[in-house]
Amino acid sequence: MPAQKAKDSSEPLLNGWCERLRDGAAGREIAISELRSYLHRGLSQALASRYGGHVDPEDIAQKAVLKILSSLDTYRGESRFTTWAMSIAVRLGISELRRRHYQGISLDSSTTGEALRVTLEDTENGSAESSSRRRSLLNRLEELINGNLTDRQRYVIRGVLNGLPVEEIAARLQSNRNAIYKLVHDARLRLRAGFEATGVTADDIMDILR
Amino acid sequence: MKAMTYEEARKLLGAVAQTVPDSLTCDNCFRLMSEYADAELLGRERPETLTAVRIHFSQCPCCAYEYVALLEAIRAAGDFDVITSPLA
């Protein structure tokens, strides 16, 4: 059935997008216009409810079209062309929303090299034993953060706890998203390994936090 | 450096407890995201090669957030390829 066949990403119908969008292709301007409209429809919905929605979806759609046109050779046909194109548009839109939303918010004003303390307030709920276990867990967390993590990891962890997305932390540190995610992820792995070295498993942690 | 509150510590500990090795960078996850999305949208079984994407989403809130937004955008835009494709 034609409708069903059209949804398969291997069909020429979908791969025809690349050919119609290339320089010099017949009907290229129409294809560009239709792609822009498609992206705009999706962005208008997806961006409106996020981070205050303070971007123009038409502007983002236009920027996305330019990026898609310059990236046509990277489309590998493993998904529908329109899904691939929309992923580029959404990423652009979310990045712009984050940039505007977090504009006035800085990382912790401290410098690297400082220890990160954990306050022990609010641990007194429940039984004396559960409070004691929580305090012990938090003390151990503080030891591990300051003994097993690098200065940069402590600094980035503080940024994550301040609510900054990895993308925004990367921008403030003149780094990139991949590097900051790896720092955070590696830090978490080190902390987990540190707990397990003293016999505290992931299940123990979740049980104590309950 | 500002001290960590108890709530912040809880959040970090929860993330630590659920941390597992992750083979993907955010950029590599992005390259696979549209294939992962199509499997969900088209009701297809995901190949094993995309398991790494699911693992990355479980540990990277930024990428997971973008994925949810992508699904919402595609559903809102409608099935362009069937309805309005210039080749139809």
Side-chain angles (χ1 to χ4, degrees), chain A residues 25-64:
Chain A
R28 183 173 186 256
E29 289 309 311
I30 295 172
I32 289 174
S33 175
E34 289 182 341
L35 179 61
R36 189 186 303 116
S37 295
Y38 174 78
L39 297 177
H40 182 254
R41 281 201 305 279
L43 292 171
S44 296
Q45 172 73 24
L47 301 186
S49 58
R50 292 179 161 82
Y51 294 107
H54 298 304
V55 291
D56 179 0
E58 195 167 332
D59 181 54
I60 301 297
Q62 176 56 25
K63 286 177 179 166

mmCIF file of all heavy atoms in Angstrom, chain A residues 25-64:
data_model
loop_
_atom_site.group_PDB
_atom_site.id
_atom_site.type_symbol
_atom_site.label_atom_id
_atom_site.label_comp_id
_atom_site.label_asym_id
_atom_site.label_seq_id
_atom_site.Cartn_x
_atom_site.Cartn_y
_atom_site.Cartn_z
ATOM 1 N N ALA A 25 19.576 21.275 -8.745
ATOM 2 C CA ALA A 25 18.505 20.302 -8.979
ATOM 3 C C ALA A 25 17.219 21.021 -9.392
ATOM 4 O O ALA A 25 16.931 22.121 -8.927
ATOM 5 C CB ALA A 25 18.250 19.499 -7.703
ATOM 6 N N ALA A 26 16.461 20.369 -10.256
ATOM 7 C CA ALA A 26 15.171 20.922 -10.674
ATOM 8 C C ALA A 26 14.227 20.956 -9.481
ATOM 9 O O ALA A 26 14.166 19.996 -8.720
ATOM 10 C CB ALA A 26 14.568 20.051 -11.776
ATOM 11 N N GLY A 27 13.516 22.067 -9.294
ATOM 12 C CA GLY A 27 12.556 22.169 -8.194
ATOM 13 C C GLY A 27 13.196 22.333 -6.837
ATOM 14 O O GLY A 27 12.549 22.113 -5.812
ATOM 15 N N ARG A 28 14.477 22.727 -6.820
ATOM 16 C CA ARG A 28 15.201 22.832 -5.544
ATOM 17 C C ARG A 28 14.552 23.849 -4.612
ATOM 18 O O ARG A 28 14.393 23.607 -3.421
ATOM 19 C CB ARG A 28 16.654 23.212 -5.802
ATOM 20 C CG ARG A 28 17.519 23.267 -4.538
ATOM 21 C CD ARG A 28 18.993 23.479 -4.904
ATOM 22 N NE ARG A 28 19.846 23.386 -3.724
ATOM 23 C CZ ARG A 28 20.379 24.439 -3.105
ATOM 24 N NH1 ARG A 28 20.125 25.668 -3.548
ATOM 25 N NH2 ARG A 28 21.158 24.281 -2.056
ATOM 26 N N GLU A 29 14.167 24.984 -5.158
ATOM 27 C CA GLU A 29 13.597 26.036 -4.311
ATOM 28 C C GLU A 29 12.283 25.585 -3.668
ATOM 29 O O GLU A 29 11.995 25.898 -2.524
ATOM 30 C CB GLU A 29 13.377 27.326 -5.101
ATOM 31 C CG GLU A 29 14.683 28.049 -5.483
ATOM 32 C CD GLU A 29 15.612 28.264 -4.294
ATOM 33 O OE1 GLU A 29 15.143 28.760 -3.241
ATOM 34 O OE2 GLU A 29 16.814 27.934 -4.392
ATOM 35 N N ILE A 30 11.505 24.832 -4.432
ATOM 36 C CA ILE A 30 10.243 24.315 -3.880
ATOM 37 C C ILE A 30 10.541 23.316 -2.753
ATOM 38 O O ILE A 30 9.915 23.328 -1.696
ATOM 39 C CB ILE A 30 9.399 23.641 -4.981
ATOM 40 C CG1 ILE A 30 8.964 24.685 -6.005
ATOM 41 C CG2 ILE A 30 8.179 22.939 -4.382
ATOM 42 C CD1 ILE A 30 8.287 24.107 -7.224
ATOM 43 N N ALA A 31 11.518 22.460 -2.996
ATOM 44 C CA ALA A 31 11.886 21.468 -1.972
ATOM 45 C C ALA A 31 12.369 22.163 -0.703
ATOM 46 O O ALA A 31 12.024 21.766 0.416
ATOM 47 C CB ALA A 31 12.974 20.535 -2.517
ATOM 48 N N ILE A 32 13.170 23.216 -0.875
ATOM 49 C CA ILE A 32 13.674 23.957 0.288
ATOM 50 C C ILE A 32 12.514 24.581 1.050
ATOM 51 O O ILE A 32 12.444 24.531 2.277
ATOM 52 C CB ILE A 32 14.684 25.036 -0.153
ATOM 53 C CG1 ILE A 32 15.986 24.380 -0.612
ATOM 54 C CG2 ILE A 32 14.959 26.017 0.988
ATOM 55 C CD1 ILE A 32 17.000 25.353 -1.214
ATOM 56 N N SER A 33 11.596 25.170 0.310
ATOM 57 C CA SER A 33 10.454 25.814 0.945
ATOM 58 C C SER A 33 9.606 24.805 1.713
ATOM 59 O O SER A 33 9.151 25.068 2.830
ATOM 60 C CB SER A 33 9.618 26.513 -0.127
ATOM 61 O OG SER A 33 8.445 27.042 0.436
ATOM 62 N N GLU A 34 9.389 23.657 1.139
ATOM 63 C CA GLU A 34 8.569 22.638 1.807
ATOM 64 C C GLU A 34 9.276 22.072 3.013
ATOM 65 O O GLU A 34 8.664 21.798 4.057
ATOM 66 C CB GLU A 34 8.206 21.543 0.806
ATOM 67 C CG GLU A 34 7.197 22.041 -0.225
ATOM 68 C CD GLU A 34 6.782 20.977 -1.206
ATOM 69 O OE1 GLU A 34 7.505 19.976 -1.331
ATOM 70 O OE2 GLU A 34 5.738 21.164 -1.859
ATOM 71 N N LEU A 35 10.586 21.916 2.919
ATOM 72 C CA LEU A 35 11.352 21.436 4.066
ATOM 73 C C LEU A 35 11.273 22.450 5.206
ATOM 74 O O LEU A 35 11.058 22.101 6.361
ATOM 75 C CB LEU A 35 12.810 21.189 3.673
ATOM 76 C CG LEU A 35 13.726 20.709 4.800
ATOM 77 C CD1 LEU A 35 13.280 19.371 5.381
ATOM 78 C CD2 LEU A 35 15.175 20.612 4.306
ATOM 79 N N ARG A 36 11.426 23.720 4.859
ATOM 80 C CA ARG A 36 11.371 24.769 5.876
ATOM 81 C C ARG A 36 10.014 24.782 6.569
ATOM 82 O O ARG A 36 9.921 24.897 7.789
ATOM 83 C CB ARG A 36 11.645 26.140 5.260
ATOM 84 C CG ARG A 36 11.831 27.266 6.296
ATOM 85 C CD ARG A 36 11.953 28.643 5.650
ATOM 86 N NE ARG A 36 13.035 28.695 4.703
ATOM 87 C CZ ARG A 36 12.873 28.897 3.398
ATOM 88 N NH1 ARG A 36 11.678 29.064 2.877
ATOM 89 N NH2 ARG A 36 13.918 28.938 2.595
ATOM 90 N N SER A 37 8.953 24.621 5.811
ATOM 91 C CA SER A 37 7.601 24.589 6.384
ATOM 92 C C SER A 37 7.442 23.395 7.323
ATOM 93 O O SER A 37 6.836 23.505 8.392
ATOM 94 C CB SER A 37 6.540 24.489 5.281
ATOM 95 O OG SER A 37 6.555 25.637 4.496
ATOM 96 N N TYR A 38 7.961 22.267 6.903
ATOM 97 C CA TYR A 38 7.881 21.057 7.723
ATOM 98 C C TYR A 38 8.600 21.271 9.058
ATOM 99 O O TYR A 38 8.060 20.987 10.131
ATOM 100 C CB TYR A 38 8.503 19.880 6.956
ATOM 101 C CG TYR A 38 8.616 18.611 7.768
ATOM 102 C CD1 TYR A 38 7.502 17.803 7.993
ATOM 103 C CD2 TYR A 38 9.833 18.201 8.305
ATOM 104 C CE1 TYR A 38 7.595 16.632 8.741
ATOM 105 C CE2 TYR A 38 9.937 17.036 9.047
ATOM 106 C CZ TYR A 38 8.813 16.259 9.256
ATOM 107 O OH TYR A 38 8.916 15.105 10.003
ATOM 108 N N LEU A 39 9.808 21.792 8.975
ATOM 109 C CA LEU A 39 10.578 22.026 10.202
ATOM 110 C C LEU A 39 9.864 23.036 11.100
ATOM 111 O O LEU A 39 9.794 22.876 12.318
ATOM 112 C CB LEU A 39 11.985 22.534 9.852
ATOM 113 C CG LEU A 39 12.870 21.575 9.044
ATOM 114 C CD1 LEU A 39 14.205 22.257 8.714
ATOM 115 C CD2 LEU A 39 13.111 20.272 9.781
ATOM 116 N N HIS A 40 9.328 24.069 10.481
ATOM 117 C CA HIS A 40 8.643 25.108 11.244
ATOM 118 C C HIS A 40 7.450 24.542 12.016
ATOM 119 O O HIS A 40 7.215 24.883 13.182
ATOM 120 C CB HIS A 40 8.191 26.228 10.298
ATOM 121 C CG HIS A 40 7.530 27.361 11.001
ATOM 122 N ND1 HIS A 40 6.167 27.588 10.956
ATOM 123 C CD2 HIS A 40 8.030 28.330 11.795
ATOM 124 C CE1 HIS A 40 5.858 28.648 11.668
ATOM 125 N NE2 HIS A 40 6.973 29.122 12.187
ATOM 126 N N ARG A 41 6.704 23.657 11.384
ATOM 127 C CA ARG A 41 5.552 23.039 12.064
ATOM 128 C C ARG A 41 6.005 22.288 13.307
ATOM 129 O O ARG A 41 5.415 22.382 14.378
ATOM 130 C CB ARG A 41 4.822 22.069 11.126
ATOM 131 C CG ARG A 41 3.905 22.723 10.132
ATOM 132 C CD ARG A 41 2.859 21.752 9.593
ATOM 133 N NE ARG A 41 3.397 20.538 8.996
ATOM 134 C CZ ARG A 41 3.869 20.455 7.753
ATOM 135 N NH1 ARG A 41 3.914 21.521 6.991
ATOM 136 N NH2 ARG A 41 4.315 19.297 7.291
ATOM 137 N N GLY A 42 7.055 21.516 13.164
ATOM 138 C CA GLY A 42 7.538 20.742 14.292
ATOM 139 C C GLY A 42 8.138 21.606 15.379
ATOM 140 O O GLY A 42 7.879 21.413 16.574
ATOM 141 N N LEU A 43 8.941 22.582 14.990
ATOM 142 C CA LEU A 43 9.611 23.444 15.966
ATOM 143 C C LEU A 43 8.612 24.301 16.731
ATOM 144 O O LEU A 43 8.780 24.560 17.920
ATOM 145 C CB LEU A 43 10.630 24.348 15.254
ATOM 146 C CG LEU A 43 11.850 23.633 14.661
ATOM 147 C CD1 LEU A 43 12.652 24.603 13.787
ATOM 148 C CD2 LEU A 43 12.736 23.056 15.759
ATOM 149 N N SER A 44 7.570 24.750 16.044
ATOM 150 C CA SER A 44 6.571 25.605 16.701
ATOM 151 C C SER A 44 5.973 24.900 17.909
ATOM 152 O O SER A 44 5.684 25.512 18.933
ATOM 153 C CB SER A 44 5.448 25.966 15.719
ATOM 154 O OG SER A 44 5.952 26.735 14.669
ATOM 155 N N GLN A 45 5.788 23.604 17.783
ATOM 156 C CA GLN A 45 5.245 22.827 18.892
ATOM 157 C C GLN A 45 6.323 22.495 19.912
ATOM 158 O O GLN A 45 6.162 22.723 21.116
ATOM 159 C CB GLN A 45 4.641 21.521 18.334
ATOM 160 C CG GLN A 45 4.209 20.516 19.374
ATOM 161 C CD GLN A 45 2.953 20.931 20.093
ATOM 162 O OE1 GLN A 45 2.156 21.698 19.563
ATOM 163 N NE2 GLN A 45 2.762 20.444 21.307
ATOM 164 N N ALA A 46 7.438 21.975 19.442
ATOM 165 C CA ALA A 46 8.443 21.409 20.353
ATOM 166 C C ALA A 46 9.178 22.469 21.158
ATOM 167 O O ALA A 46 9.609 22.210 22.279
ATOM 168 C CB ALA A 46 9.436 20.567 19.563
ATOM 169 N N LEU A 47 9.349 23.653 20.610
ATOM 170 C CA LEU A 47 10.138 24.672 21.307
ATOM 171 C C LEU A 47 9.289 25.575 22.198
ATOM 172 O O LEU A 47 9.801 26.197 23.127
ATOM 173 C CB LEU A 47 10.902 25.538 20.299
ATOM 174 C CG LEU A 47 11.875 24.801 19.361
ATOM 175 C CD1 LEU A 47 12.657 25.813 18.529
ATOM 176 C CD2 LEU A 47 12.823 23.907 20.146
ATOM 177 N N ALA A 48 8.000 25.632 21.927
ATOM 178 C CA ALA A 48 7.138 26.592 22.630
ATOM 179 C C ALA A 48 7.100 26.356 24.132
ATOM 180 O O ALA A 48 6.997 27.289 24.919
ATOM 181 C CB ALA A 48 5.721 26.525 22.058
ATOM 182 N N SER A 49 7.183 25.076 24.520
ATOM 183 C CA SER A 49 7.003 24.761 25.934
ATOM 184 C C SER A 49 8.326 24.554 26.665
ATOM 185 O O SER A 49 8.350 24.102 27.806
ATOM 186 C CB SER A 49 6.179 23.474 26.052
ATOM 187 O OG SER A 49 6.849 22.430 25.374
ATOM 188 N N ARG A 50 9.416 24.878 26.039
ATOM 189 C CA ARG A 50 10.719 24.585 26.632
ATOM 190 C C ARG A 50 11.521 25.840 26.929
ATOM 191 O O ARG A 50 11.627 26.731 26.086
ATOM 192 C CB ARG A 50 11.508 23.651 25.698
ATOM 193 C CG ARG A 50 10.879 22.268 25.633
ATOM 194 C CD ARG A 50 11.621 21.311 24.707
ATOM 195 N NE ARG A 50 11.251 19.940 25.040
ATOM 196 C CZ ARG A 50 10.145 19.334 24.603
ATOM 197 N NH1 ARG A 50 9.334 19.959 23.780
ATOM 198 N NH2 ARG A 50 9.858 18.097 24.979
ATOM 199 N N TYR A 51 12.078 25.900 28.113
ATOM 200 C CA TYR A 51 12.940 27.012 28.527
ATOM 201 C C TYR A 51 12.277 28.368 28.253
ATOM 202 O O TYR A 51 12.935 29.324 27.850
ATOM 203 C CB TYR A 51 14.288 26.964 27.788
ATOM 204 C CG TYR A 51 15.146 25.760 28.128
ATOM 205 C CD1 TYR A 51 15.308 24.734 27.209
ATOM 206 C CD2 TYR A 51 15.795 25.667 29.360
ATOM 207 C CE1 TYR A 51 16.099 23.630 27.521
ATOM 208 C CE2 TYR A 51 16.585 24.569 29.665
ATOM 209 C CZ TYR A 51 16.729 23.550 28.742
ATOM 210 O OH TYR A 51 17.513 22.457 29.043
ATOM 211 N N GLY A 52 10.991 28.443 28.452
ATOM 212 C CA GLY A 52 10.275 29.694 28.230
ATOM 213 C C GLY A 52 9.903 29.937 26.786
ATOM 214 O O GLY A 52 9.182 30.892 26.474
ATOM 215 N N GLY A 53 10.405 29.115 25.880
ATOM 216 C CA GLY A 53 10.002 29.218 24.472
ATOM 217 C C GLY A 53 10.384 30.509 23.776
ATOM 218 O O GLY A 53 9.751 30.914 22.812
ATOM 219 N N HIS A 54 11.470 31.176 24.233
ATOM 220 C CA HIS A 54 11.780 32.504 23.684
ATOM 221 C C HIS A 54 12.681 32.477 22.466
ATOM 222 O O HIS A 54 13.731 33.119 22.437
ATOM 223 C CB HIS A 54 12.427 33.366 24.783
ATOM 224 C CG HIS A 54 11.537 33.592 25.954
ATOM 225 N ND1 HIS A 54 10.276 34.138 25.842
ATOM 226 C CD2 HIS A 54 11.712 33.330 27.271
ATOM 227 C CE1 HIS A 54 9.715 34.198 27.037
ATOM 228 N NE2 HIS A 54 10.554 33.719 27.921
ATOM 229 N N VAL A 55 12.290 31.701 21.464
ATOM 230 C CA VAL A 55 12.979 31.769 20.173
ATOM 231 C C VAL A 55 11.910 31.779 19.085
ATOM 232 O O VAL A 55 10.784 31.339 19.305
ATOM 233 C CB VAL A 55 13.940 30.578 19.930
ATOM 234 C CG1 VAL A 55 15.136 30.645 20.848
ATOM 235 C CG2 VAL A 55 13.221 29.249 20.020
ATOM 236 N N ASP A 56 12.291 32.264 17.924
ATOM 237 C CA ASP A 56 11.370 32.312 16.787
ATOM 238 C C ASP A 56 11.547 31.022 15.990
ATOM 239 O O ASP A 56 12.613 30.816 15.386
ATOM 240 C CB ASP A 56 11.708 33.535 15.931
ATOM 241 C CG ASP A 56 10.813 33.641 14.709
ATOM 242 O OD1 ASP A 56 9.930 32.770 14.520
ATOM 243 O OD2 ASP A 56 10.994 34.599 13.937
ATOM 244 N N PRO A 57 10.538 30.148 15.956
ATOM 245 C CA PRO A 57 10.714 28.878 15.249
ATOM 246 C C PRO A 57 11.012 29.066 13.761
ATOM 247 O O PRO A 57 11.703 28.240 13.160
ATOM 248 C CB PRO A 57 9.377 28.151 15.463
ATOM 249 C CG PRO A 57 8.452 29.133 16.030
ATOM 250 C CD PRO A 57 9.236 30.240 16.606
ATOM 251 N N GLU A 58 10.529 30.165 13.194
ATOM 252 C CA GLU A 58 10.810 30.422 11.780
ATOM 253 C C GLU A 58 12.304 30.698 11.583
ATOM 254 O O GLU A 58 12.930 30.220 10.621
ATOM 255 C CB GLU A 58 9.994 31.630 11.327
ATOM 256 C CG GLU A 58 9.921 31.762 9.832
ATOM 257 C CD GLU A 58 8.861 32.776 9.422
ATOM 258 O OE1 GLU A 58 7.881 32.963 10.170
ATOM 259 O OE2 GLU A 58 9.040 33.378 8.356
ATOM 260 N N ASP A 59 12.857 31.448 12.503
ATOM 261 C CA ASP A 59 14.291 31.757 12.444
ATOM 262 C C ASP A 59 15.127 30.485 12.588
ATOM 263 O O ASP A 59 16.089 30.264 11.844
ATOM 264 C CB ASP A 59 14.604 32.757 13.559
ATOM 265 C CG ASP A 59 16.056 33.155 13.550
ATOM 266 O OD1 ASP A 59 16.548 33.588 12.502
ATOM 267 O OD2 ASP A 59 16.718 33.033 14.612
ATOM 268 N N ILE A 60 14.729 29.646 13.532
ATOM 269 C CA ILE A 60 15.450 28.388 13.751
ATOM 270 C C ILE A 60 15.305 27.477 12.523
ATOM 271 O O ILE A 60 16.271 26.839 12.088
ATOM 272 C CB ILE A 60 14.952 27.659 15.016
ATOM 273 C CG1 ILE A 60 15.130 28.529 16.272
ATOM 274 C CG2 ILE A 60 15.678 26.323 15.187
ATOM 275 C CD1 ILE A 60 16.568 28.869 16.622
ATOM 276 N N ALA A 61 14.110 27.432 11.954
ATOM 277 C CA ALA A 61 13.880 26.594 10.773
ATOM 278 C C ALA A 61 14.787 27.038 9.622
ATOM 279 O O ALA A 61 15.366 26.208 8.908
ATOM 280 C CB ALA A 61 12.417 26.654 10.347
ATOM 281 N N GLN A 62 14.926 28.329 9.452
ATOM 282 C CA GLN A 62 15.776 28.853 8.385
ATOM 283 C C GLN A 62 17.243 28.478 8.619
ATOM 284 O O GLN A 62 17.944 28.028 7.718
ATOM 285 C CB GLN A 62 15.619 30.367 8.286
ATOM 286 C CG GLN A 62 16.519 31.045 7.263
ATOM 287 C CD GLN A 62 16.375 30.496 5.855
ATOM 288 O OE1 GLN A 62 15.333 29.941 5.469
ATOM 289 N NE2 GLN A 62 17.432 30.605 5.063
ATOM 290 N N LYS A 63 17.689 28.646 9.857
ATOM 291 C CA LYS A 63 19.075 28.274 10.187
ATOM 292 C C LYS A 63 19.286 26.775 9.984
ATOM 293 O O LYS A 63 20.333 26.332 9.502
ATOM 294 C CB LYS A 63 19.401 28.648 11.641
ATOM 295 C CG LYS A 63 19.585 30.126 11.863
ATOM 296 C CD LYS A 63 19.837 30.448 13.332
ATOM 297 C CE LYS A 63 20.029 31.952 13.494
ATOM 298 N NZ LYS A 63 19.945 32.391 14.891
ATOM 299 N N ALA A 64 18.273 26.008 10.340
ATOM 300 C CA ALA A 64 18.379 24.559 10.183
ATOM 301 C C ALA A 64 18.472 24.171 8.713
ATOM 302 O O ALA A 64 19.253 23.290 8.343
ATOM 303 C CB ALA A 64 17.178 23.869 10.837
#
